[in-house]
Amino acid sequence: MIYLDNVAGTKPDARVVEKMLSFYTEHYGNPSAHFYPIGREAFEAMEAARGEVASFINAKAEEIVFTSCGTESNNLAVKGFLKNPKNSGKHVIISEIEHFSVDSTVTKLINDGYQITKLKVDDSGLVNPDDLKNAIRKDTALVSIQHTNPEIGTIQYTDRLGAVCREAGVAFHVDAIAAAGFSELDVKSLNCDMLSIASQNFYGPRGAAALYIREGVKVSGLMDGGHQERGYRSGSENVPAIVGMGEAARIAKAEMGIWVPELVRLQKQLWDGLGGMFDFLHFTGNKDRRRPGHVSFWIEYIEGESLLMWLSLKGFACASGSACSSNILAEDEEDLAASYVLTAVGVPSDICAGSLGMSMSKYNTQDDIDNVLKVMPETVQRLCEMSPMYNRK
């Protein structure tokens, strides 16, 4: 299997796994019980990991809150900030291509009296900072914008958006889950008040993520219980995963400069190779401002899932940007419509039945790209022959 769905999760680095193992078998104490050695060992390891994660994004250790996943980090940022009585305002701004964990969260806030503005993006997925400036109102409480879109790969001008928020005195949250390990993240230059990252996206384990909360920003916890994570996140910490996340952050900070240029090189080869094959293949996202190693496109007349399944049979793991197969069970037929991200960037729904995304990691090789370019012509041609839309063109 050639794995090209790294935006959904990367293979853990062997050094990360090795670092975690002893916290399952030897140092298994509860970090809240740090009055005796085995609990203190777990506590100290967790705090060391907190320091590594903080260093990774140029934050202070005390500004890092560990969570279980990126979705939880995003929910804590949005709901936790708005729930805190110190924060006023009933207006929230996001873009129209945010991840479900932000989009769905703010949509439900309407029931609590909030008003939501979803900023338009251009045909490459970029938010215009002037549009954000014009959308901010006196009652705007929070702006939440994704750093990197996982479906189309586009990297926002996050620093400029943050500067707009800072000037207006509005809190700014950045969903950087698809960016960590592939783009340099500096919470100070991004001008953000909160930032979400997840371990699994930069060669760490699942089960550990983090939310950066700038010192002085008021956020309320979403769960009642103990006072773990300084009251932001009650519940016993997943120490092995947190230790793994810390190690993954350390490695990424030290080695990103090695693997990112190679990912950019492979990305260009894949982009150029695919672009020369078919005149009915259309790339999505911004060609220059995109996640390293990420290529996304749609092909006229062909369903994204069909191409995804055929490539899977040939040994490739990719991602479809259209509705996932689980939506077959959905009650609302609109769930089977084209991706909202594709719609937002102007992809015509009448001829686009889904997109395909290929995202590489440091483990992908030149041979992987050569194999993709070898298999694609035959696969696409076969699907075109089966397509009634293609046969009517």
Side-chain angles (χ1 to χ4, degrees), residues 368-388:
D368 294 342
I369 304 308
D370 292 341
N371 283 325
V372 172
L373 296 176
K374 180 180 178 181
V375 165
M376 279 294 289
E378 173 191 350
T379 304
V380 171
Q381 183 60 38
R382 184 163 186 177
L383 288 171
C384 282
E385 292 171 356
M386 297 167 60
S387 169

Side-chain angles (χ1 to χ4, degrees), residues 215-238:
E215 186 177 10
V217 174
K218 303 300 182 183
V219 175
S220 296
L222 302 183
M223 295 188 292
D224 297 321
H227 296 279
Q228 292 90 345
E229 295 302 293
R230 305 187 309 285
Y232 288 114
R233 204 264 183 185
S234 297
S236 297
E237 298 93 343
N238 185 350

Side-chain angles (χ1 to χ4, degrees), residues 167-322:
E167 183 179 357
V170 175
F172 182 45
H173 166 244
V174 175
D175 172 1
I177 293 164
F182 293 81
S183 296
E184 293 287 345
L185 295 175
D186 183 327
V187 294
K188 294 180 175 58
S189 63
L190 292 176
N191 297 300
C192 63
D193 299 288
M194 296 175 285
L195 180 138
S196 304
I197 60 174
S199 168
Q200 70 190 55
N201 290 84
F202 52 96
Y203 314 106
R206 285 175 172 77
L211 177 65
Y212 156 77
I213 304 175
R214 183 173 61 82
E215 186 177 10
V217 174
K218 303 300 182 183
V219 175
S220 296
L222 302 183
M223 295 188 292
D224 297 321
H227 296 279
Q228 292 90 345
E229 295 302 293
R230 305 187 309 285
Y232 288 114
R233 204 264 183 185
S234 297
S236 297
E237 298 93 343
N238 185 350
V239 177
I242 288 172
V243 168
M245 183 176 188
E247 180 69 358
R250 183 194 68 78
I251 293 170
K253 182 180 180 182
E255 300 179 6
M256 272 179 58
I258 299 172
W259 70 61
V260 167
E262 176 64 6
L263 287 174
V264 172
R265 186 186 72 81
L266 294 176
Q267 172 188 295
K268 184 178 186 305
Q269 286 198 1
L270 182 57
W271 186 290
D272 292 344
L274 290 171
M277 285 182 183
F278 319 100
D279 59 6
F280 48 90
L281 182 148
H282 308 273
F283 293 105
T284 57
N286 191 290
K287 182 177 181 180
D288 301 313
R289 292 188 59 81
R290 69 185 302 116
R291 170 177 156 135
H294 187 290
V295 175
S296 56
F297 55 91
W298 60 279
I299 302 176
E300 295 180 43
Y301 322 115
I302 295 178
E303 292 184 354
E305 279 84 358
S306 297
L307 183 55
L308 186 72
M309 288 187 286
W310 276 93
L311 288 173
S312 178
L313 291 172
K314 293 179 180 292
F316 298 89
C318 307
S320 174
S322 58

Side-chain angles (χ1 to χ4, degrees), residues 44-166:
E44 291 173 353
M46 189 174 70
E47 293 310 300
R50 197 185 308 276
E52 296 288 2
V53 172
S55 177
F56 181 42
I57 59 173
N58 193 27
K60 301 175 184 177
E62 57 268 27
E63 295 174 317
I64 301 299
V65 177
F66 287 121
T67 67
S68 64
C69 61
T71 291
E72 184 185 348
S73 290
N74 284 343
N75 271 258
L76 178 58
V78 175
K79 294 178 185 176
F81 181 85
L82 297 174
K83 177 182 176 182
N84 192 285
K86 297 287 186 180
N87 303 318
S88 61
K90 286 285 189 176
H91 180 228
V92 179
I93 300 173
I94 64 172
S95 82
E96 57 183 347
I97 62 169
E98 295 303 308
H99 187 266
F100 285 119
S101 58
V102 169
D103 187 272
S104 297
T105 297
V106 300
T107 299
K108 289 181 179 179
L109 290 171
I110 295 173
N111 297 327
D112 296 326
Y114 285 88
Q115 293 183 324
I116 312 301
T117 295
K118 295 186 179 183
L119 298 174
K120 298 288 186 182
V121 296
D122 66 16
D123 59 6
S124 70
L126 288 171
V127 172
N128 187 326
D130 288 335
D131 290 346
L132 172 59
K133 185 175 182 179
N134 293 332
I136 292 176
R137 311 183 326 204
K138 290 183 179 180
D139 64 339
T140 301
L142 177 68
V143 174
S144 180
I145 304 287
Q146 208 170 47
H147 181 287
T148 300
N149 185 274
E151 184 172 338
I152 60 175
T154 295
I155 298 174
Q156 294 291 345
Y157 289 105
T158 315
D159 54 343
R160 300 182 193 176
L161 300 173
V164 170
C165 293
R166 189 63 54 87

